[in-house]
Amino acid sequence: LTDSKVELRVQFHQVPGVLPALSDCAGNELVVRVQPEEAIYWKVQNKVPGLGFAVEQLRMDLLYKNVFSKHKLNAYERLILEVFANDHSHFVSAEEIGAAWRILTPALDKLEATQLEPHLYPFGSRGPPQADELAKRF
């Protein structure tokens, strides 16, 4: 939470019991970044070539700025051009708003009735410890 970015990270579990030398390796990770620099990259644990058994993390990436060198529109420029082109795909319809309220109102009512308190955590940290506990269950 220390950086301002929009990204999806899929962290894969280590494969249990493969080799003792792999016990300290981080799991592989797939990252899809939307902002600030659009990118897709794969962080993979890889054996270093040779007779020894050393493992290092490699990054295979697709950085959009390296592949698509012409001017790329920012989000607001794209949105304005879509308005001019009569493209409504990024705007919420009245039906969607009604459906959202039908789904969320019971949940909000239940939260208000049970008086659940949010889990607080320090600014800039990874989040509350309860989030890690939830992730461990899956």
Side-chain angles (χ1 to χ4, degrees):
L1 295 175
T2 57
D3 296 333
S4 177
K5 25 178 146 165
V6 177
E7 66 184 15
L8 167 72
R9 288 183 173 263
V10 179
Q11 296 175 333
F12 295 91
H13 293 286
Q14 294 176 324
V15 178
V18 175
L19 293 171
L22 295 176
S23 63
D24 294 335
C25 290
N28 295 335
E29 184 175 30
L30 175 66
V31 180
V32 178
R33 183 179 304 137
V34 178
Q35 285 182 341
E37 291 181 340
E38 292 89 348
I40 300 172
Y41 60 91
W42 177 246
K43 291 164 53 174
V44 181
Q45 301 303 322
N46 193 46
K47 180 189 175 298
V48 176
L51 297 176
F53 194 81
V55 178
E56 69 179 31
Q57 187 177 72
L58 296 178
R59 179 175 157 160
M60 298 183 288
D61 61 11
L62 167 65
L63 296 173
Y64 280 65
K65 69 178 183 175
N66 294 343
V67 177
F68 305 109
S69 58
K70 70 177 190 174
H71 174 70
K72 187 179 74 60
L73 300 174
N74 70 32
Y76 293 109
E77 291 170 330
R78 246 187 351 257
L79 193 62
I80 289 170
L81 287 176
E82 288 170 358
V83 168
F84 292 148
N86 201 24
D87 180 358
H88 299 271
S89 61
H90 289 104
F91 297 93
V92 180
S93 69
E95 294 84 19
E96 289 176 287
I97 292 172
W101 280 112
R102 279 193 303 279
I103 293 168
L104 292 175
T105 300
L108 292 171
D109 291 342
K110 185 171 182 174
L111 279 173
E112 187 175 359
T114 57
Q115 296 295 314
L116 288 176
E117 292 293 322
H119 299 289
L120 303 178
Y121 56 92
F123 175 78
S125 70
R126 291 190 62 232
Q130 293 86 348
D132 291 330
E133 293 169 14
L134 177 65
K136 286 179 186 175
R137 288 192 276 166
F138 300 97

